[in-house]
């Protein structure tokens, strides 16, 4: 292994979505760039353990659920729909390998240098490389750079629940590889990860219980949105407990025993398996951030809107810093950080200036059934900020196309600034919410008023036309129609 240090303009630590986007952008700007990735696999969270594998599992679960409703549509079904878990996981694995191999090719065949190693800061300008494998090819012991980007993602959050570690549990990383279903499972948590896995297990035929500490699941959304999903889950036979206090976990024969409080009563639940879905935490351990002078806020790296840490030449992007742990934001952060690094070290075009992230159009999607999507301000958040808004909603079960499709639950809700008439937010619970929300995303991002929105034709009968109904109601109330 060489003792000499290699110098770069820009070094990216972490080769996931944010890191690759940053490296590609830096190369396009003419920066001498390197990517250092010390993960057990190359590809990043979204491809390997997050967005893509979970959606690949949810697809067959939701198709199974739809097939089981065949009688509602006048179709005869001979026998039950039996999932083959090994084939479901094998299909997921094949898809993920295709995505991951493409990312590996991008990293290894790009013009920037790529090191399979763990990086640790020795000081604010130097990192030490530790090969992932002892037999790794010869790499420098140290690298130096004029600027860095930390994009190391997140890891499963530690648990403090009494007895859980001793009893044993699944994480979301484990669950995507499960080829033999448990007879029963308790999912702990109420965020998108927990909700999606609870939906997956339940629709795949596992007796599922969802236990959430807060008053409602998906607590960042308006209450009626959360309640609609809870109602749908309960209607389908899933047990959902909200407003709970988890006390302990222990073994009980061949089962796992969860003790918790709900509605003022002590409850005990026996299940064969537990999924810990209470979230992820930034992956900052082992990076030597103290030696670099990079300050943390808890486990998260503190950054400004320019994606700079407390050391201005060291940037961060993605889950490691937040504030929104979603891929499209991570990519935007990575690209912006690379551009700002180029400006900072004096290698950008003369017309390029330091820029700041724009978080004014936050989007959140949970791919359960019914799907849940949100963009911009919720009604609750708008009122908390003192923004005067008018909100209205319209149910899917009173809309022609969705009634034909058999939609039983959900609605479209819009939030409009009463002074300007601009659409500032929307939430959708129902079929294809993940696709439909983008029409509202464009409206929020471009400051579209209700009058201009209603000028856009919507074909009948389509799911898309339902978005006009709450907007029409608000426009009439505001005298803008």
């Amino acid at each position: 292994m060489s003792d000499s240090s290699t110098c770069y303009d820009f070094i990216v630590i972490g080769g996931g979505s944010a890191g690759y986007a940053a490296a590609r952008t830096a190369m396009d700007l003419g920066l001498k760039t390197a990517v250092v990735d010390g993960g057990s696999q190359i590809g990043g969270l979204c491809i390997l353990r997050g967005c893509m594998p979970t959606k690949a599992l949810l697809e067959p679960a939701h198709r199974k659920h739809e097939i089981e409703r065949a009688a509602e549509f006048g179709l005869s079904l001979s026998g039950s729909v039996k999932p083959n878990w090994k084939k479901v996981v094998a299909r997921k694995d094949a898809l993920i390998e295709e995505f991951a191999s493409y990312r590996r090719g991008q990293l290894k065949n790009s013009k920037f240098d790529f090191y399979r190693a763990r990086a640790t800061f020795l000081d604010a300008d130097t990192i030490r490389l530790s090969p992932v494998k002892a037999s790794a090819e010869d790499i420098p012991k140290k690298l130096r750079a004029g600027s860095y980007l930390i994009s190391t993602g997140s890891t499963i959050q530690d648990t403090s629940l009494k007895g859980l570690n001793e009893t044993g549990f699944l994480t979301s990383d484990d669950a995507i590889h499960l080829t033999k279903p448990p007879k029963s499972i308790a999912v702990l948590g109420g965020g998108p990860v927990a909700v999606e896995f609870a939906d997956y297990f339940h629709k795949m035929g596992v007796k599922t219980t969802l236990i959430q500490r807060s008053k409602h699941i998906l607590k960042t959304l308006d209450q009626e949105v959360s309640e609609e999903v809870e109602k749908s889950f309960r209607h389908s036979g899933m047990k959902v407990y909200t407003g709970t206090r988890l006390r302990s976990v222990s073994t009980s024969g061949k089962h796992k025993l969860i003790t918790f409080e709900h509605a003022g009563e002590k409850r005990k639940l026996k299940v064969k398996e537990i999924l810990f879905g209470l979230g992820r935490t930034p992956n900052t351990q082992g990076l030597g951030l103290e030696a670099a002078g990079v300050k943390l806020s808890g486990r998260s790296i503190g950054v400004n809107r320019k994606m700079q840490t407390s050391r201005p030449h060291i940037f961060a992007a993605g889950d490691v810093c937040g504030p929104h742990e979603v891929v499209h934001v991570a990519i935007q952060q990575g690209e912006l950080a690379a551009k700002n690094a180029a400006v900072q070290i004096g290698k950008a075009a003369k017309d390029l200036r330091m820029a700041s992230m724009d978080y004014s159009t936050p989007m959140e999607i949970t791919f359960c059934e019914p799907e849940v999507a949100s963009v911009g301000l919720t009604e609750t958040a708008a009122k908390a900020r003192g923004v005067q808004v008018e909100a209205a909603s319209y149910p899917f079960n009173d809309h022609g196309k969705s009634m034909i499709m058999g939609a039983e639950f959900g609605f479209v809700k819009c939030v409009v600034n009463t002074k300007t008439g601009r659409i500032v937010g929307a939430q959708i619970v129902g079929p294809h919410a993940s696709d439909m929300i983008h029409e509202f995303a464009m409206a929020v991002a471009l400051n579209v008023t209700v009058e201009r929105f209603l000028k856009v034709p919507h074909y009948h009968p389509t799911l898309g036309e339902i978005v006009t109904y709450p907007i029409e109601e608000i426009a009439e109330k505001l005298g803008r129609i």
Side-chain angles (χ1 to χ4, degrees):
M1 186 177 285
S2 174
D3 290 330
S4 61
S5 297
T6 304
C7 296
Y8 292 90
D9 295 319
F10 189 60
I11 293 178
V12 176
I13 303 174
S17 298
Y20 175 73
R24 179 190 58 204
T25 302
M27 285 298 302
D28 289 343
L29 293 171
L31 303 188
K32 184 181 179 182
T33 304
V35 175
V36 180
D37 191 302
S40 58
Q41 296 175 281
I42 300 172
L45 172 65
C46 175
I47 291 176
L48 298 173
R49 299 178 299 281
C51 315
M52 303 311 289
T54 55
K55 307 312 168 281
L57 294 177
L58 282 165
E59 186 65 27
H62 292 163
R63 291 196 180 206
K64 174 181 177 293
H65 175 65
E66 288 302 311
I67 293 170
E68 290 171 339
R69 296 181 62 189
E72 295 178 32
F73 298 85
L75 303 174
S76 297
L77 180 65
S78 178
S80 61
V81 182
K82 296 181 180 180
N84 185 318
W85 286 65
K86 288 184 178 180
K87 289 186 177 180
V88 167
V89 172
R91 178 180 183 271
K92 178 266 299 179
D93 288 343
L95 286 167
I96 298 314
E97 174 55 27
E98 184 176 346
F99 301 142
S101 63
Y102 180 71
R103 175 56 55 82
R104 290 195 296 268
Q106 287 179 314
L107 289 167
K108 293 180 177 180
N109 300 321
S110 294
K111 295 180 181 179
F112 50 75
D113 292 337
F114 179 63
Y115 299 99
R116 284 289 284 134
R118 289 178 287 272
T120 304
F121 281 96
L122 299 176
D123 54 48
D125 303 304
T126 312
I127 57 173
R128 180 180 66 242
L129 299 188
S130 304
V132 174
K133 296 182 180 179
S135 59
E137 61 187 58
D138 188 43
I139 60 175
K141 285 185 176 180
K142 299 177 184 179
L143 298 180
R144 294 177 61 83
S147 189
Y148 289 89
L149 174 73
I150 303 170
S151 54
T152 47
S154 62
T155 59
I156 297 294
Q157 184 172 298
D158 296 333
T159 173
S160 59
L161 180 57
K162 181 181 177 182
L164 185 58
N165 285 321
E166 294 79 4
T167 304
F169 60 94
L170 296 175
T171 68
S172 57
D173 289 356
D174 303 320
I176 61 174
H177 301 295
L178 204 62
T179 57
K180 185 178 180 180
K183 290 185 178 180
S184 59
I185 192 168
V187 178
L188 308 183
V193 172
V195 167
E196 288 184 358
F197 272 107
D199 187 48
Y200 167 66
F201 281 111
H202 176 61
K203 287 190 170 63
M204 288 287 279
V206 178
K207 185 179 180 181
T208 304
T209 303
L210 180 61
I211 303 176
Q212 161 71 329
R213 292 176 296 186
S214 300
K215 188 177 179 180
H216 292 287
I217 64 174
L218 304 175
K219 61 183 181 180
T220 61
L221 305 178
D222 284 333
Q223 183 172 318
E224 63 263 43
V225 173
S226 301
E227 289 176 341
E228 188 74 1
V229 181
E230 293 165 12
K231 183 170 69 173
S232 171
F233 280 3
R234 291 183 176 118
H235 181 267
S236 68
M238 185 193 303
K239 288 186 178 180
V240 180
Y241 293 98
T242 58
T244 68
R245 184 177 181 185
L246 293 167
R247 305 297 291 181
S248 65
V249 175
S250 60
T251 56
S252 178
K254 295 183 178 180
H255 288 77
K256 299 179 180 182
L257 178 66
I258 303 172
T259 302
F260 64 101
E261 295 177 9
H262 178 256
E265 296 182 2
K266 183 178 180 180
R267 294 179 178 268
K268 293 188 176 182
L269 175 68
K270 284 185 179 181
V271 292
K272 294 296 290 184
E273 192 55 87
I274 296 171
L275 173 68
F276 180 73
L278 294 174
R280 302 181 67 88
T281 189
N283 183 22
T284 54
Q285 292 185 327
L287 291 175
L289 298 181
E290 185 176 347
V294 174
K295 295 181 180 179
L296 296 176
S297 176
R299 286 278 294 273
S300 179
I301 296 177
V303 293
N304 58 22
R305 290 291 182 98
K306 295 180 175 63
M307 306 315 301
Q308 293 171 300
T309 69
S310 53
R311 282 284 193 172
H313 72 291
I314 300 178
F315 297 79
D319 288 4
V320 78
C321 62
H324 305 293
E325 291 75 28
V326 290
V327 170
H328 72 274
V329 172
I331 291 172
Q332 290 171 352
Q333 290 175 334
E335 291 172 344
L336 183 135
K339 293 175 183 177
N340 285 345
V343 173
Q344 189 181 64
I345 62 180
K347 292 198 173 184
K350 292 182 179 180
D351 60 342
L352 194 63
R353 300 288 183 269
M354 293 279 278
S356 297
M357 278 294 297
D358 179 4
Y359 297 117
S360 62
T361 314
M363 188 182 299
E364 180 178 332
I365 297 175
T366 303
F367 293 84
C368 56
E369 178 61 41
E371 289 187 340
V372 185
S374 174
V375 67
L377 291 176
T378 64
E379 183 181 9
T380 304
K383 290 180 177 179
R385 296 184 186 184
V387 181
Q388 294 182 1
V389 294
E390 185 72 42
S393 61
Y394 197 90
F396 277 102
N397 63 12
D398 189 40
H399 169 250
K401 179 60 183 291
S402 49
M403 291 170 68
I404 292 171
M405 293 173 62
E408 300 174 286
F409 297 93
F411 54 83
V412 176
K413 179 179 180 179
C414 301
V415 184
V416 175
N417 186 307
T418 57
K419 292 184 177 180
T420 64
R422 290 175 176 171
I423 300 169
V424 296
Q427 295 172 83
I428 304 176
V429 185
H432 299 286
S434 60
D435 301 310
M436 293 175 63
I437 197 65
H438 290 85
E439 184 168 359
F440 285 122
M442 183 174 292
V444 173
L446 299 180
N447 296 314
V448 174
T449 63
V450 291
E451 302 99 305
R452 292 185 64 83
F453 188 90
L454 292 174
K455 289 183 178 180
V456 178
H458 289 77
Y459 201 88
H460 173 79
T462 63
L463 278 180
E465 67 179 335
I466 194 176
V467 302
T468 64
Y469 299 167
I471 294 294
E472 285 178 349
E473 180 180 336
I474 295 173
E476 288 179 358
K477 288 182 179 180
L478 299 181
R480 290 177 171 268
I481 193 171

